[in-house]
Amino acid sequence: MGILDQKKIIVMGVANRRSIAWGCAQEMAKQGAKIIYTYQNERMKKSVSRLVNDDDHLIECDVSSDDSISTAFQKIKSDFGKVDGIVHAIAFAKKEELNGSILSTTRAGYALAQDVSAYSLLAVAKCAHDLDLLNDPASIVTLTYFGSERAIPGYNVMGVAKAALEANVRYLARDMGEYGVRVNAISAGAMKTLAVTGIGGHSNLLKISKERTVDNQSVTLEEIGDACAFLMSNLSTGVVGDIIYVDKGVHLI
Ligand code: NAD
């Protein structure tokens, strides 16, 4: 018996097998969850289809569009009924703004990073609530990074977006509690994914992050996925509005 038996969970943000969303989906499926995947666009669908050989469980959803979120969630509700959780593992900023000095951030680039990486959590939660898509209890988990608190080289505008995302987690947790919905974030250690390769000097970031773990071993997708499974499960009903580090201690050192 798994801790997520009978639970249906939407996983947003699988791009390929290195994606943190994929690690979360895999570990949650091992715990008995049925996973429904959303993908950003047709290009992403091609790559996700190599991992998920079931078109019925793949739904398009571009979080920069309220219409797209609404269409996706309506389809999910009509195909699968209410769900027990949503994993939001989505972020984006322009590559040229993830480099050098934050002084080169443009107004448009700042707004884009905030929209896709921070506002989208509110948009997703609001749409799920408006469509009565979430069971009581349900859990929403997003992915953040330590660059929200410290000035990490190259992370710049994304660090600012992650700070906003973490604040969104707290306010959403406060306001969704009455509907039985918990909201939390995992602050994951640095891992080589498609998103990370957009950050200037990412090889150095990954190297230093590994050196700063307590055992000189980078966190794995499985470890992040297991924490996600815990936060989705009824084992974590007392954890609300929190940012849980799953980074092998990098934030300590
Ligand atoms: P990834 O590139 O595998 O995943 C990012 C996903 O965001 C992709 O699937 C992409 O399609 C999706 N996305 C971007 N814009 C979108 C939009 N408009 N609509 C829908 N989807 C959109 O990279 P990842 O590292 O697995 O990133 C997942 C999350 O984890 C992000 O929030 C990232 O900031 C966070 N995170 C990553 C690390 C790391 O080191 N990789 C560390 C901590 C937190």
Side-chain angles (χ1 to χ4, degrees):
M1 238 181 64
I3 59 173
L4 297 175
D5 278 347
Q6 313 293 329
K7 296 226 187 244
K8 282 176 274 177
I9 295 167
I10 302 173
V11 172
M12 313 181 77
V14 177
N16 54 44
R17 66 176 65 252
R18 284 175 179 267
S19 293
I20 291 177
W22 180 242
C24 293
Q26 294 296 98
E27 296 314 299
M28 292 192 299
K30 280 185 204 161
Q31 292 297 336
K34 178 168 165 184
I35 311 291
I36 303 148
Y37 298 86
T38 71
Y39 58 87
Q40 182 183 358
N41 50 32
E42 275 305 306
R43 188 168 59 87
M44 285 299 166
K45 186 179 184 187
K46 278 193 192 134
S47 124
V48 183
S49 297
R50 283 184 216 123
L51 303 173
V52 182
N53 191 13
D54 178 358
D55 236 33
D56 295 345
H57 286 70
L58 290 177
I59 315 247
E60 182 165 328
C61 181
D62 180 341
V63 296
S64 64
S65 153
D66 289 333
D67 283 349
S68 178
I69 299 171
S70 176
T71 305
F73 283 7
Q74 282 175 48
K75 179 160 174 49
I76 290 172
K77 193 167 177 201
S78 83
D79 291 0
F80 303 98
K82 286 190 172 195
V83 303
D84 305 284
I86 302 176
V87 178
H88 170 279
I90 289 174
F92 184 75
K94 284 188 191 160
K95 196 167 182 164
E96 55 272 29
E97 307 210 349
L98 296 173
N99 223 319
S101 166
I102 196 158
L103 291 173
S104 53
T105 306
T106 63
R107 192 178 292 269
Y110 186 97
L112 177 66
Q114 287 284 334
D115 185 40
V116 176
S117 317
Y119 178 74
S120 67
L121 180 70
L122 292 186
V124 160
K126 176 176 163 35
C127 185
H129 175 67
D130 291 349
L131 293 173
D132 195 23
L133 177 64
L134 295 170
N135 276 321
D136 176 356
S139 169
I140 297 178
V141 172
T142 188
L143 268 297
T144 187
Y145 178 60
F146 191 40
S148 61
E149 292 170 59
R150 299 295 160 89
I152 306 277
Y155 207 60
N156 305 352
V157 70
M158 188 55 77
V160 181
K162 291 300 191 194
L165 177 72
E166 292 175 16
N168 282 337
V169 165
R170 291 184 282 272
Y171 282 99
L172 270 178
R174 181 194 67 185
D175 290 346
M176 297 193 85
E178 66 178 293
Y179 309 113
V181 181
R182 292 182 299 113
V183 186
N184 291 287
I186 291 172
S187 186
M191 332 215 15
K192 190 164 182 189
T193 61
L194 196 61
V196 159
T197 55
I199 301 168
H202 64 269
S203 307
N204 213 25
L205 175 68
L206 291 166
K207 181 171 164 280
I208 293 171
S209 297
K210 185 176 175 199
E211 285 165 7
R212 291 189 184 188
T213 60
V214 289
D215 60 359
N216 210 14
Q217 299 294 318
S218 293
V219 71
T220 64
L221 276 184
E222 290 75 18
E223 287 167 328
I224 298 169
D226 283 341
C228 184
F230 163 71
L231 286 174
M232 278 294 154
S233 79
N234 297 344
L235 294 178
S236 61
T237 49
V239 185
V240 174
D242 218 342
I243 314 295
I244 306 224
Y245 287 97
V246 186
D247 69 351
K248 302 286 285 293
V250 172
H251 69 287
L252 303 172
I253 298 165

